[in-house]
Amino acid sequence: MSRQRRSRRQPHQGSNPDHQWVATEITVKLAVNGILSAIAVVTLFKLIPYQWSQQAKLKEVEVEVQETERRVSELRQDFRHNFDPYQIKKVMQEQSPRLQPTQRRIFWSN
């Protein structure tokens, strides 16, 4: 038994070409993956300012949309008020300088 162990543990005289090939392959793979990772990180850092500018533009657009929605709401209210059949007389009085015969103008003086 001791003879078998000794034969297995003989000093390694030379490196096996298969092992060298595997080590070279692993080294090349690591180098390529490292380069690709570095390129990806650099690209991400270049995209960060672009993303910030896009977010700023998005906020501007959202503010404009809110302002436009507010204006549309006011215009809808005016439209409903002006075309409400129950308020025709009131709208006519608001938009016309003429008065009904039963009304008089009042002028305030100090």
Side-chain angles (χ1 to χ4, degrees), residues 16-65:
N16 190 349
D18 289 337
H19 293 302
Q20 285 180 344
W21 173 250
V22 170
T24 305
E25 181 182 359
I26 290 172
T27 304
V28 169
K29 285 181 180 180
L30 286 173
V32 168
N33 285 332
I35 291 169
L36 290 175
S37 297
I39 290 172
V41 168
V42 168
T43 303
L44 285 175
F45 279 119
K46 286 184 178 181
L47 285 175
I48 288 173
Y50 176 74
Q51 189 219 8
W52 287 341
S53 68
Q54 292 299 313
Q55 284 181 347
K57 288 179 183 177
L58 178 62
K59 286 180 183 178
E60 288 178 19
V61 169
E62 287 174 346
V63 168
E64 289 178 11
V65 165

